[in-house]
């Protein structure tokens, strides 16, 4: 069992994410069967092998990708491929996700406020034939967490931007602010459905935790799993009813000390000047962060 992946619960499937990449979508095949899917781009073998291009146009060797799942060695290559393909934002956000006990969802897809919520939206890597039309009408939020506010649990949503992202700055109003406003409308419209959804998500996470703990027992050399926030079990059992926070938080990361005291300080001021109620959290280096959320 690896610590560097996050299992996200969907309506009829599970998505296994590494650095924002869905390296597996696991569907319910019925009758106790599961059907895992992955994108072929994650199946490249990582050992250094030269492929010769022959006169007839074929490559040799032709088996440069995995054609059979061989356990940890295949999974390691898939994660390596996902790491190589990930951009700065997904790579920088990853340590904050796997290092927090409060994260309950990632890469959340919602149809925008003018549409209806569809929890079976396809993920970005394992696509269906109608993905293009859906993509134009959906919002994606990077991270969902639980938060205790005076004994009351809240479901909180986060949009992450690397410091280099031009959406954070402009001579006029930065583009990220319109994105946040759109997310607010979407979250408010789907409030009731999201409440139900995250009860079911927390229940599934509790079951997954039990399964992962049992698997770890057979591998005593592995370090203990990160303990989930107690709010997750409380929401799952019905002991606590969570509220939906419709105001996403903006996470900004990937800057050094000079950039923090210079350019980012100015950028943050401009963002708050345009949207005073905006909730911003900033962190320079995410690699060593624990319990950021």
């Amino acid at each position: 069992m690896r610590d560097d992946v996050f299992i996200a619960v969907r309506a009829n499937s599970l998505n296994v994410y590494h650095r924002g990449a869905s390296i597996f979508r696991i569907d319910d095949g019925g009758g106790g069967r599961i059907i895992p899917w992955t994108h072929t781009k994650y199946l490249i073998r990582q050992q250094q092998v030269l492929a010769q291009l022959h006169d007839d146009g074929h490559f040799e060797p032709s088996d440069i990708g995995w054609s059979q799942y061989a356990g940890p060695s295949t999974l390691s290559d898939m994660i390596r491929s996902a790491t190589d393909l990930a951009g700065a934002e997904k790579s920088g956000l990853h340590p904050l996700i796997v290092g927090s006990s409060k994260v309950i969802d990632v890469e959340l897809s919602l149809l925008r406020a003018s549409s209806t919520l569809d929890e079976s939206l396809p993920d970005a890597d394992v696509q269906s034939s109608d993905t293009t039309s859906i993509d134009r009408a959906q919002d994606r939020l990077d991270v969902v967490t639980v938060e205790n506010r005076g004994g009351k649990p809240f479901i909180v949503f986060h949009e992450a931007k690397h410091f280099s992202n031009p959406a954070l700055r402009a001579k006029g109003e930065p583009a990220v602010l319109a994105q946040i406003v759109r997310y607010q409308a979407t979250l408010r419209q789907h409030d009731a459905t999201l409440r139900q959804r995250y009860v079911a998500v927390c229940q599934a996470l509790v079951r997954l935790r039990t399964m992962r703990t049992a698997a770890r027992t057979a591998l005593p050399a592995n370090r203990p799993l990160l303990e989930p926030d107690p709010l997750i079990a409380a929401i799952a059992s019905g002991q606590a009813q969570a509220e939906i926070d419709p105001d996403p938080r903006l996470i900004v990361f990937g800057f050094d000390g000079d950039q923090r005291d210079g350019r980012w300080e100015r950028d943050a001021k401009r963002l708050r000047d345009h949207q005073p109620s905006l909730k911003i959290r900033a962190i320079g280096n995410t690699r060593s962060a624990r319990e950021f959320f």
Side-chain angles (χ1 to χ4, degrees):
M1 298 294 292
R2 298 187 62 125
D3 297 321
D4 54 354
V5 297
F6 183 87
I7 300 175
V9 179
R10 306 300 182 222
N12 297 301
S13 64
L14 300 174
N15 279 82
V16 182
Y17 286 99
H18 179 80
R19 298 180 185 271
S22 177
I23 59 174
F24 276 114
R25 188 187 76 206
I26 305 171
D27 290 345
D28 180 2
R33 295 185 312 116
I34 60 171
I35 305 175
W37 299 83
T38 189
H39 197 288
T40 53
K41 65 187 175 185
Y42 301 128
L43 297 180
I44 301 299
R45 291 180 181 268
Q46 294 295 328
Q47 69 267 31
Q48 294 184 1
V49 177
L50 292 177
Q52 180 183 354
L53 177 59
H54 290 270
D55 292 340
D56 62 0
H58 82 272
F59 285 101
E60 185 183 356
S62 59
D63 57 344
I64 58 176
W66 287 94
S67 60
Q68 182 172 348
Y69 189 75
S73 57
T74 307
L75 181 57
S76 293
D77 271 3
M78 294 177 70
I79 286 177
R80 170 77 178 276
S81 294
T83 300
D84 291 343
L85 292 169
E89 276 184 356
K90 298 302 183 184
S91 293
L93 184 59
H94 180 72
L96 302 183
I97 292 171
V98 297
S100 174
S101 63
K102 295 179 172 60
V103 176
I104 60 172
D105 200 3
V106 298
E107 301 295 326
L108 167 65
S109 296
L110 297 174
L111 293 183
R112 292 179 183 166
S114 58
S115 304
T116 58
L117 179 64
D118 181 356
E119 293 183 278
S120 62
L121 285 174
D123 61 81
D125 289 322
V126 187
Q127 298 181 345
S128 63
S129 59
D130 60 349
T131 299
T132 301
S133 60
I134 291 176
D135 279 345
R136 287 195 294 265
Q138 72 178 338
D139 286 324
R140 285 187 181 271
L141 289 108
D142 293 310
V143 186
V144 185
T145 62
V146 292
E147 181 177 294
N148 189 338
R149 298 181 187 171
K152 180 70 176 177
F154 278 79
I155 307 296
V156 183
F157 304 84
H158 309 262
E159 173 65 18
K161 299 292 184 191
H162 189 272
F163 175 72
S164 62
N165 194 315
L168 294 171
R169 54 191 63 90
K171 291 183 179 179
E173 181 175 319
V176 69
L177 297 180
Q179 186 179 8
I180 294 294
V181 169
R182 191 178 72 237
Y183 289 173
Q184 288 171 329
T186 296
L187 291 171
R188 285 191 173 93
Q189 173 153 323
H190 302 311
D191 180 282
T193 307
L194 287 169
R195 290 172 192 251
Q196 296 175 358
R197 171 179 183 155
Y198 283 113
V199 170
V201 165
C202 287
Q203 290 170 344
L205 290 176
V206 169
R207 292 195 294 271
L208 286 170
R209 167 73 184 188
T210 301
M211 295 168 63
R212 296 182 74 177
T213 301
R216 286 291 181 108
T217 303
L219 301 169
N222 281 4
R223 61 185 181 185
L225 285 169
L226 181 68
E227 286 294 329
D229 191 285
L231 279 179
I232 296 174
I235 295 170
S237 66
Q239 291 180 327
Q241 294 186 347
E243 300 284 345
I244 299 298
D245 186 341
D247 298 319
R249 294 178 181 174
L250 175 63
I251 302 171
V252 180
F253 59 86
F255 49 81
D256 59 28
D258 289 340
Q259 291 169 327
R260 178 196 62 208
D261 298 333
R263 186 176 179 181
W264 167 239
E265 196 172 76
R266 295 192 297 272
D267 290 342
K269 181 180 184 302
R270 185 178 298 109
L271 289 168
R272 290 194 173 98
D273 284 346
H274 283 281
Q275 198 173 119
S277 62
L278 179 65
K279 301 172 182 177
I280 306 175
R281 293 201 64 191
I283 179 172
N285 185 353
T286 62
R287 284 176 292 181
S288 58
R290 301 289 292 182
E291 293 296 352
F292 173 79
F293 294 105

